[in-house]
Amino acid sequence: MLFNNQQTMNTSTIEERFEFGNIWHSNIFIPEIGHGKFFVTLGAINDIVYGFFYINSKINFNVNRHMEQAFLQIPISNTDYSFLTKETSYISCARIEELNKTKLIESISRGETQWKAKLKQEHIDIICQKVNKSSLYSRRIKRQLFGYV
């Protein structure tokens, strides 16, 4: 179910959107990054939202110097996600970040953060497979956020 008007979403509906694989766009990262970003959420546990697998228009040259990080760049196409402006973009799965759930809900209420889409199952499967093979993440993180034992 798509929500075109973020203001009509109640808190429980918003929290459902924090589940694994949802794509958002937000301006709350402007102080750190300098511009709005698309990102993927991985889920929420208690008062923390996990994720922030950023979607980038290109792979940073520093990432390509580290094989493990380069392995965790997942290509996606604007034919699958029409809101992307580049033909090919990359989900960077090389780092998990945390954000206080209340802060994210408030930014949604102010219109600074908007839900865009759910990742296609094929992209979710690729992310899960690559993260499971990666040595960048602990067994605990893999179990909590990705369901691996």
Side-chain angles (χ1 to χ4, degrees):
M1 173 151 90
L2 296 176
F3 292 94
N4 293 326
N5 183 351
Q6 298 287 140
Q7 301 300 341
T8 63
M9 291 171 52
N10 62 37
T11 301
S12 64
T13 305
I14 290 171
E15 289 188 27
E16 290 172 13
R17 294 285 174 185
F18 296 155
E19 69 186 11
F20 191 99
N22 279 299
I23 303 172
W24 299 79
H25 183 270
S26 185
N27 292 323
I28 63 172
F29 306 107
I30 289 176
E32 297 90 25
I33 300 173
H35 54 86
K37 290 293 290 183
F38 289 104
F39 62 90
V40 176
T41 51
L42 303 177
I45 300 172
N46 300 321
D47 293 334
I48 302 294
V49 178
Y50 293 88
F52 310 99
F53 279 178
Y54 295 116
I55 299 176
N56 300 305
S57 58
K58 60 184 177 182
I59 299 174
N60 183 296
F61 72 95
N62 286 320
V63 168
N64 283 324
R65 294 180 5 196
H66 302 279
M67 231 165 80
E68 188 71 24
Q69 290 180 8
F71 174 73
L72 291 169
Q73 306 303 304
I74 313 300
I76 58 175
S77 168
N78 65 0
T79 58
D80 290 327
Y81 307 100
S82 61
F83 52 86
L84 297 173
T85 57
K86 301 286 185 182
E87 186 176 326
T88 302
S89 293
Y90 301 87
I91 304 171
S92 178
C93 303
R95 186 171 134 196
I96 295 174
E97 295 188 25
E98 303 173 4
L99 187 65
N100 180 281
K101 189 187 293 182
T102 302
K103 181 178 178 179
L104 191 53
I105 290 171
E106 288 172 354
S107 76
I108 292 165
S109 298
R110 289 190 305 268
E112 296 172 329
T113 302
Q114 301 87 34
W115 180 84
K116 292 298 187 181
K118 176 85 172 174
L119 279 174
K120 292 185 172 233
Q121 189 61 48
E122 67 186 275
H123 296 130
I124 291 173
D125 292 345
I126 292 167
I127 288 170
C128 290
Q129 290 166 8
K130 288 191 171 209
V131 165
N132 190 40
K133 291 179 184 177
S134 174
S135 62
L136 291 180
Y137 298 112
S138 69
R139 289 175 52 99
R140 182 184 64 81
I141 290 293
K142 289 177 184 179
R143 184 176 55 254
Q144 280 185 314
L145 298 176
F146 300 94
Y148 294 111
V149 179

